[in-house]
């Protein structure tokens, strides 16, 4: 409804080289691709460094949290040691200290406890057979009671030199067993 005439269609001119430009890589496209590759390559190093620094920072934060937890544990233990009753209990359990007037007993051959007790238990005595000789007592103290029966035991009388003669009254067994 307008009174304007419609624009006339322009005749299209076909350039024989225009089809080749669309199919191949132009100079402008190659330059743009080269700039993009250079930009990506230049950003690769800083991005890698940033990722590594973030990982290191996370590890340091974990280390700080673990150290703060350890400080809290040590502070709580220090507060326990401020209590005189706790210190006395630990001295009794760890070092065998006694209060004045108490009598301490040591049971030989009893297995040692691996954890210190917080309360001092009353000492108990158990009947254990006493070893016959000094060497047997040393072996039982070292936990070497399961020696072969053929190994003779040495008594202090056999070790002590006799006063009257140059040779001992009984022969002293050798430390190494003889090969048969």
């Amino acid at each position: 409804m307008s009174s304007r005439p419609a624009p006339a269609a322009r005749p299209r001119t076909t350039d024989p080289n225009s089809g080749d430009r669309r199919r191949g890589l132009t100079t402008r496209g190659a330059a743009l691709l080269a700039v993009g590759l250079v930009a990506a390559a230049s950003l690769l190093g800083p991005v890698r460094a940033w990722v590594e620094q973030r990982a290191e920072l996370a590890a340091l934060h974990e280390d700080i949290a673990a150290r703060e937890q350890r400080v809290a544990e040590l502070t709580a233990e220090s507060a326990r040691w401020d209590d005189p009753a706790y210190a006395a209990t630990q001295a009794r359990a760890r070092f065998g200290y006694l209060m004045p007037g108490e009598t301490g007993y040591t049971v030989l051959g009893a297995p040692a406890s691996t954890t210190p007790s917080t309360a001092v238990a009353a000492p108990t005595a158990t009947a254990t057979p006493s070893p016959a000789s000094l060497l047997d007592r040393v072996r039982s103290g070292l936990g070497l009671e399961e020696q072969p029966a053929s190994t003779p035991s040495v008594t202090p009388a056999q070790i002590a030199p006799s006063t009257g003669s140059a040779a001992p009254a009984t022969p002293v067994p050798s430390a190494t067993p003889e090969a048969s």
Side-chain angles (χ1 to χ4, degrees):
M1 316 239 164
S2 84
S3 60
R4 277 177 112 182
R10 291 188 200 169
R12 292 194 173 213
T13 59
T14 59
D15 187 15
N17 296 331
S18 66
D20 292 337
R21 293 176 85 199
R22 290 183 187 163
R23 292 184 200 154
L25 185 63
T26 64
T27 308
R28 186 181 297 169
L32 184 61
L33 181 63
V35 168
L37 289 176
V38 168
S42 66
L43 289 177
L44 186 63
V47 168
R48 181 183 306 144
W50 180 79
V51 169
E52 289 174 357
Q53 288 173 356
R54 295 301 294 178
E56 184 178 349
L57 185 63
L60 289 174
H61 281 297
E62 290 176 7
D63 186 43
I64 288 171
R67 289 175 189 257
E68 286 176 349
Q69 181 181 2
R70 179 70 176 143
V71 167
E73 291 171 0
L74 291 174
T75 303
E77 185 176 346
S78 175
R80 279 195 305 255
W81 280 98
D82 288 339
D83 181 20
Y86 180 78
T89 302
Q90 290 299 312
R92 287 171 167 251
R94 294 182 183 189
F95 305 120
Y97 286 178
L98 301 173
M99 297 300 286
E102 290 181 342
T103 303
Y105 297 97
T106 302
V107 180
L108 297 177
S113 65
T114 57
T115 58
S117 62
T118 57
V120 176
T124 59
T126 58
T128 58
S130 63
S133 69
L134 175 66
L135 187 57
D136 290 337
R137 286 192 301 236
V138 170
R139 285 183 185 152
S140 68
L142 295 175
L144 302 173
E145 294 124 358
E146 299 175 1
Q147 293 293 326
S150 64
T151 306
S153 63
V154 178
T155 60
Q158 293 172 334
I159 296 174
S162 61
T163 57
S165 66
T170 58
V172 177
S174 64
T176 58
E178 297 176 13
S180 339

